[in-house]
């Protein structure tokens, strides 16, 4: 139902004068629409009937939306409660797949130290999910393989598909995600290795030309954290010492290296 008050930018308490002014302001923007609104708003009986219908519509729509929202929440809660009902399902595997994707994406965005923590937590959570899935298989007499295979996710999914007599779709998805991550990680690592090599040459040049210590050269640079084109890491020098290093990339391909 169209809300004429909303169209005129008024509320239901507007006077006839305000309604007439609003109708005049609309002008001939939509002649048929304005004519319809004017025929309702300028007739007291028609306006009263329209107001009652509009109120009923708004209240009914609000209650319907609340009922729909409550129904969706109830369905979600029911699905969560049904996870351990004993019936076979794939929800634990889906959650494990999401954790795998999250772990791979985070590994490309966070520092090595944070990545180690995230990877450990994801590994533990994945094992827990696979164990709960195996228990469901056991309840349904489908656990035809050792529970210890939960420690090797791809093998577990392969054996799970055989035990349930279904396609190896989830196994293929898991392997596919790992393959995509390995390709992305290879490309990312290659670019990082080139950056570390260039930074190492620059560090050697800094000691030779700026610090006038040609006897000290760079053995390697390890970048441990990146934020866009700004990188932080450490450099190992030929005298056995290490120093913190920052590397900033520029759009023209040049880099600026600072040794702490």
């Amino acid at each position: 139902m169209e809300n004429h008050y909303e169209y005129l930018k008024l509320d239901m308490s507007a006077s006839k004068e305000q309604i007439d002014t609003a109708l005049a302001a609309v002008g001939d923007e939509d002649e048929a629409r304005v004519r319809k609104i004017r025929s309702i708003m300028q007739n007291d009986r028609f306006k009263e009937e329209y107001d009652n219908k509009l109120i009923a519509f708004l209240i009914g729509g609000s209650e319907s939306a609340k009922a729909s929202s409550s129904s969706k929440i109830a369905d979600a809660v029911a699905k969560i409660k049904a996870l351990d009902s004993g019936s076979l399902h794939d929800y634990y595997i889906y959650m494990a797949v999401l954790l795998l994707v999250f772990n791979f994406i985070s590994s490309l965005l966070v520092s090595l130290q944070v990545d180690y923590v995230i990877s450990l937590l994801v590994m533990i959570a994945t094992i827990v999910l696979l164990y709960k899935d195996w228990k469901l298989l056991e309840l349904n007499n489908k656990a035809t393989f050792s529970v210890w295979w939960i420690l090797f996710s791809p093998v577990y999914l392969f054996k799970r598909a055989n035990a349930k007599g279904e396609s190896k779709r989830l196994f293929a998805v898991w392997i596919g995600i790992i393959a995509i991550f390995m390709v992305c990680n290879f490309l990312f690592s290659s670019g990082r290795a080139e950056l570390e090599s260039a930074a190492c040459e620059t560090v050697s040049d800094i000691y030779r030309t700026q610090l006038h210590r040609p006897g000290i050269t760079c053995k390697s640079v390890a970048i441990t954290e990146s934020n866009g084109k700004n990188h932080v890491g450490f450099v190992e020098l030929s005298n056995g010492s290490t120093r913190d290093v920052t590397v900033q990339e520029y759009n023209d391909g040049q880099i600026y290296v600072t040794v702490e």
Side-chain angles (χ1 to χ4, degrees), residues 29-248:
E29 181 180 322
D30 188 340
E31 186 177 349
R33 190 180 192 182
V34 171
R35 192 184 309 115
K36 175 185 175 183
I37 296 175
R38 180 174 282 111
S39 68
I40 294 173
M41 296 300 187
Q42 292 182 345
N43 184 298
D44 291 338
R45 183 170 62 84
F46 290 165
K47 182 177 181 301
E48 183 179 357
E49 291 178 357
Y50 172 77
D51 288 349
N52 292 334
K53 289 180 181 179
L54 179 62
I55 291 172
F57 173 79
L58 294 175
I59 294 176
S62 176
E63 290 178 348
S64 176
K66 289 179 180 178
S68 176
S69 177
S70 298
S71 176
K72 290 179 180 178
I73 294 173
D75 289 343
V77 172
K79 288 181 179 179
I80 293 173
K81 289 181 177 179
L83 290 180
D84 288 321
S85 64
S87 59
L88 283 174
H89 58 72
D90 295 328
Y91 293 120
Y92 290 130
I93 305 301
Y94 294 153
M95 286 188 278
V97 170
L98 290 176
L99 282 176
L100 180 69
V101 173
F102 168 75
N103 188 24
F104 287 166
I105 293 176
S106 66
S107 68
L108 300 176
L109 302 176
V110 302
S111 64
L112 289 176
Q113 294 88 340
V114 175
D115 182 40
Y116 291 150
V117 175
I118 292 176
S119 296
L120 177 61
L121 294 176
V122 167
M123 181 183 68
I124 294 172
T126 300
I127 291 174
V128 171
L129 289 171
L130 295 185
Y131 176 74
K132 292 178 76 68
D133 182 79
W134 187 88
K135 293 298 290 183
L136 283 180
L137 294 178
E138 185 180 41
L139 286 173
N140 289 272
N141 299 316
K142 297 289 185 180
T144 58
F145 53 93
S146 172
V147 67
W148 293 106
W149 286 115
I150 63 174
L151 300 177
F152 306 93
S153 306
V155 179
Y156 175 85
L157 293 177
F158 187 89
K159 289 183 172 293
R160 179 183 187 272
N162 286 338
K164 293 181 64 178
E166 62 182 17
S167 70
K168 297 178 176 59
R169 173 176 54 87
L170 292 172
F171 167 76
V173 169
W174 193 277
I175 295 298
I177 293 173
I178 294 176
I180 292 173
F181 169 74
M182 291 179 66
V183 172
C184 293
N185 190 54
F186 173 77
L187 296 175
F188 184 79
S189 298
S190 297
R192 173 169 285 186
E194 292 179 5
L195 180 62
E196 289 174 341
S197 177
C200 192
E201 293 178 6
T202 303
V203 170
S204 295
D205 186 62
I206 289 173
Y207 273 91
R208 182 177 63 256
T209 60
Q210 298 181 27
L211 301 179
H212 306 293
R213 301 175 68 181
I216 298 178
T217 58
C218 170
K219 292 181 63 177
S220 65
V221 168
I223 293 175
T224 57
E225 188 173 352
S226 299
N227 182 16
K229 293 183 177 295
N230 298 311
H231 314 275
V232 177
F234 62 89
V235 55
E236 182 182 0
L237 301 173
S238 58
N239 61 2
S241 63
T242 59
R243 295 287 187 276
D244 292 332
V245 65
T246 59
V247 182
Q248 184 176 4

